[in-house]
Amino acid sequence: MHSIREPLSPYGAGTYNSLITVVQAVPLAAFLWVMVDNSRGGDSLVETFSKALSTLDWSIVPVNSLVKIVISILGIMTIWHAYATNDQFHAYRQKFLDTAIPFLFGLFETCVVLTIPSERMAWTSFWLMMTMILGMVAIWNMKFQTQNQRALQVFEDHFESDAVRVYEAVIEYCSASISILWRYAKYMFIAVLVSLPIGILQSVHRHYIDTIFIVVVYLCSIVELKINDIESFLSCIDDDDDGGGAVLQTVDVDGKSVEVVSRSYGRDSLEGGAIFFLPGWSAGGAHSLVRFCGHLASAADTRVVSLETKPVAGEKNSILIESMAAVNYIGGVKPCVVTLIGHSEGAIKVSHAIRCLKERSPKTKINAVILISPVGLFEHAPSALISRFLRDATFGTLILILRNFQVVGDLAVRASGAALDVVAHVASDVRRLRIGYVKSLLWRIGELSKIDPAWGDVDCPVILIAGRGDRVAFPVDMSGGGGRAASVRRSTLLDGRFVKASSVQIFMPFRYGVHGLIHFRAEQIARVCAYLVRRRLRHDARVGPGHLTPPPLPPEADNPRTAS
């Protein structure tokens, strides 16, 4: 069996890479010519930038031209990289369309480059839109020619036992990319319509409204394509974890219909128990959470099920109803032992779910509860909760990215991806609930701002994982200087929450100490959770289930500076 990294057709991949490299040289050459051209009179762009650097007079720099330079270079690199990775999975003979598309890419990119000297953005947005449409055609062509028996046979000859999984991953990648490119092509068409009048009204043009809109649309499209690149669809094969497909079903809770989206990972058998993950607000399908569940299933060697519940229209206690829907789902699969993991808002759902499980499925044993960046442990004023969340998501995340400059690119992509996922989920809820979404959101914030009384019913081991600087989960400083002083401070602050819990442990990473911890450290958090779950199971197998707790971790694991 060949490696996933080996191309299906070495000759075809090498030839296509050579073709795209030659074609991409054309817009790059046009870019160099535009930078030194002074045929319009005055200084060339290179001379203008040199003067600005020497005199530190940045007012002479044409902002729109600078933006177009960045867009042009980014576009050239993105298209070449897409071809270099995708042509490894071409399982068909090249046709004329396969030759024509790269040349059209070179033409459209050259047109984008030639708009650099102009201060207007209309033609730039038009050619960017055409490039996105052409990208959609290229991916559609790849999908169309791959969806036949002959192509599948090529995959089977190359990948053998993994052939079907790789084949399906490639098809899923094509479908996702077409959807993304079509969506952003429509946004870019709006940018064209916005840029036309703004280019004429010079007084408005100075505010760069159209430039900002085009930059946001273009960068978001590249980030989303990067997050959903072909490597992301193949990662489940690299990690040998199966699943992740979303299944939507409607669950009845006391006459109310609740939409539940389940995603399953790992082995099919529920023997030995399962882990149920309840994600936070508007983040159920976030790529980082999918990675977390996939790595958790692989590391813990068990079934992991993510349960995303949709807000219930017109209900003040929507979180409670959603928790009951999750319990009904868990009761339907009837696992003997469960571990519940709640992230952010999902922590409150976990607390309600435990109470409901005891009433409806008393034979189901809860192995442990893991709460990641939980809310509902401390009381906030609703306005303070919103303020802390926005401050953490903006300034906190920005400082985190700048502080870890050695991996700044990866962190920026993960942060942008998480933000795009949240926006997409919010937009979906707004379309579903319409004007009722605002009222539902305000009720939800009110629920998240209070201390959840259901914590007192949790009678199993509880593990808290939250960043040291996460003021959304912990509005007060929980570090206490480390060591025994920290443990005393934490137990005092949490007094009255987990009165029945057999043990409570807190881990506070320092380096990535923000509320979005799981989005930046999905793989590491998954390994920690898997270790804690396995340790609890080993303890129960050795001494039997009960209120005894396994030996504590060494002191350094409780130190917020070393537990990162």
Side-chain angles (χ1 to χ4, degrees):
M1 184 180 68
H2 297 276
S3 168
I4 293 177
R5 307 301 174 190
E6 295 182 31
L8 289 171
S9 172
Y11 173 78
T15 303
Y16 222 42
N17 280 342
S18 300
L19 172 63
I20 195 64
T21 300
V22 171
V23 170
Q24 292 298 293
V26 176
L28 188 60
F31 171 79
L32 297 175
W33 176 78
V34 166
M35 293 297 293
V36 299
D37 177 50
N38 59 1
S39 59
R40 297 191 178 192
D43 296 331
S44 66
L45 289 173
V46 171
E47 292 169 339
T48 301
F49 292 140
S50 298
K51 284 183 179 179
L53 288 172
S54 59
T55 62
L56 297 181
D57 182 11
W58 303 109
S59 62
I60 65 175
V61 174
V63 175
N64 281 356
S65 295
L66 183 61
V67 168
K68 293 176 187 179
I69 288 172
V70 175
I71 288 177
S72 300
I73 295 297
L74 197 57
I76 293 172
M77 293 189 297
T78 300
I79 291 175
W80 188 93
H81 177 75
Y83 267 99
T85 54
N86 292 359
D87 61 16
Q88 298 181 55
F89 300 95
H90 286 182
Y92 50 87
R93 293 181 181 275
Q94 309 299 331
K95 296 181 172 58
F96 180 77
L97 183 60
D98 298 291
T99 303
I101 289 175
F103 281 97
L104 290 175
F105 268 126
L107 175 63
F108 291 169
E109 289 175 282
T110 302
C111 291
V112 172
V113 168
L114 293 178
T115 66
I116 289 177
S118 173
E119 275 292 299
R120 295 190 178 185
M121 297 294 293
W123 278 110
T124 304
S125 55
F126 173 78
W127 290 115
L128 289 176
M129 179 188 70
M130 293 302 297
T131 304
M132 291 178 179
I133 294 174
L134 183 61
M136 186 175 63
V137 172
I139 299 295
W140 172 84
N141 177 58
M142 177 181 175
K143 179 182 179 182
F144 176 77
Q145 297 200 63
T146 304
Q147 285 182 309
N148 58 68
Q149 191 61 37
R150 181 179 297 177
L152 179 57
Q153 184 62 50
V154 174
F155 275 83
E156 290 176 347
D157 293 342
H158 191 83
F159 296 115
E160 298 179 3
S161 60
D162 278 336
V164 175
R165 297 171 67 192
V166 177
Y167 180 82
E168 291 177 349
V170 171
I171 298 300
E172 289 176 9
Y173 157 74
C174 292
S175 301
S177 298
I178 291 171
S179 175
I180 293 169
L181 286 167
W182 176 238
R183 183 168 71 252
Y184 283 101
K186 292 187 287 187
Y187 294 158
M188 197 59 75
F189 177 69
I190 296 174
V192 174
L193 299 180
V194 171
S195 300
L196 286 172
I198 288 181
I200 298 173
L201 302 174
Q202 297 298 323
S203 59
V204 181
H205 184 68
R206 285 196 294 269
H207 295 287
Y208 303 108
I209 298 174
D210 53 344
T211 304
I212 295 172
F213 184 71
I214 291 169
V215 168
V216 169
V217 171
Y218 190 67
L219 292 182
C220 286
S221 67
I222 289 181
V223 168
E224 193 161 350
L225 287 171
K226 168 61 181 170
I227 293 170
N228 295 279
D229 63 2
I230 199 164
E231 292 293 327
S232 67
F233 288 89
L234 295 171
S235 62
C236 61
I237 300 172
D238 292 338
D239 299 329
D240 197 29
D241 53 56
D242 188 18
V247 178
L248 174 64
Q249 62 185 82
T250 302
V251 178
D252 180 75
V253 178
D254 298 333
K256 302 178 179 66
S257 297
V258 182
E259 292 184 2
V260 178
V261 179
S262 62
R263 296 175 176 87
S264 300
Y265 308 81
R267 63 187 185 189
D268 295 329
S269 173
L270 291 175
E271 184 180 354
I275 298 175
F276 290 91
F277 174 66
L278 279 66
W281 172 71
S282 293
H287 194 72
S288 51
L289 299 187
V290 171
R291 276 203 315 274
F292 167 78
C293 292
H295 281 275
L296 179 59
S298 178
D301 188 27
T302 188
R303 190 68 169 171
V304 175
V305 181
S306 170
L307 297 178
E308 174 194 355
T309 56
K310 302 291 186 179
V312 183
E315 291 292 338
K316 287 187 176 182
N317 298 321
S318 179
I319 293 180
L320 174 60
I321 298 173
E322 293 171 45
S323 306
M324 295 170 69
V327 169
N328 288 351
Y329 179 94
I330 296 173
V333 297
K334 298 180 180 179
C336 56
V337 180
V338 300
T339 299
L340 298 177
I341 301 180
H343 164 238
S344 189
E345 172 191 278
I348 296 181
K349 296 179 183 178
V350 165
S351 68
H352 292 308
I354 291 175
R355 178 182 290 177
C356 295
L357 274 174
K358 290 180 180 179
E359 298 173 356
R360 303 186 180 190
S361 302
K363 293 183 179 180
T364 301
K365 177 184 178 296
I366 301 175
N367 174 56
V369 168
I370 301 177
L371 307 176
I372 305 171
S373 304
V375 294
L377 290 175
F378 293 88
E379 188 168 359
H380 306 254
S383 58
L385 179 63
I386 296 172
S387 174
R388 287 168 181 147
F389 176 78
L390 293 176
R391 193 184 309 122
D392 184 279
T394 53
F395 296 111
T397 301
L398 179 61
I399 293 172
L400 166 67
I401 293 173
L402 296 177
R403 191 170 58 200
N404 297 277
F405 63 92
Q406 69 276 16
V407 288
V408 64
D410 179 61
L411 292 180
V413 169
R414 294 192 180 213
S416 304
L420 287 173
D421 287 326
V422 170
V423 170
H425 276 75
V426 170
S428 174
D429 288 341
V430 170
R431 286 196 300 269
R432 189 169 57 87
L433 301 179
R434 300 190 182 278
I435 193 64
Y437 176 77
V438 176
K439 186 184 293 184
S440 173
L441 180 61
L442 293 176
W443 285 337
R444 207 172 195 85
I445 293 172
E447 289 185 79
L448 299 177
S449 303
K450 303 173 184 176
I451 299 177
D452 186 13
W455 297 124
D457 294 330
V458 179
D459 58 358
C460 58
V462 176
I463 300 159
L464 306 176
I465 303 176
R468 186 182 180 187
D470 183 0
R471 292 296 173 261
V472 180
F474 299 146
V476 294
D477 184 12
M478 296 283 285
S479 60
R484 181 171 178 79
S487 300
V488 172
R489 178 173 174 80
R490 294 171 191 176
S491 61
T492 302
L493 290 171
L494 292 172
D495 184 36
R497 270 63 158 189
F498 304 104
V499 292
K500 296 181 181 179
S502 55
S503 66
V504 179
Q505 291 178 296
I506 305 179
F507 301 93
M508 303 188 68
F510 170 75
R511 187 175 176 186
Y512 295 84
V514 294
H515 191 65
L517 168 68
I518 195 172
H519 296 292
F520 296 108
R521 306 288 281 176
E523 298 85 352
Q524 292 79 3
I525 298 296
R527 286 198 295 268
V528 170
C529 292
Y531 166 74
L532 294 171
V533 170
R534 289 197 307 268
R535 188 177 68 161
R536 167 53 55 178
L537 291 174
R538 286 197 305 268
H539 169 264
D540 287 350
R542 186 172 65 251
V543 301
H547 293 287
L548 297 177
T549 60
L553 291 178
E556 58 269 19
D558 195 47
N559 189 329
R561 290 190 172 272
T562 58
S564 60

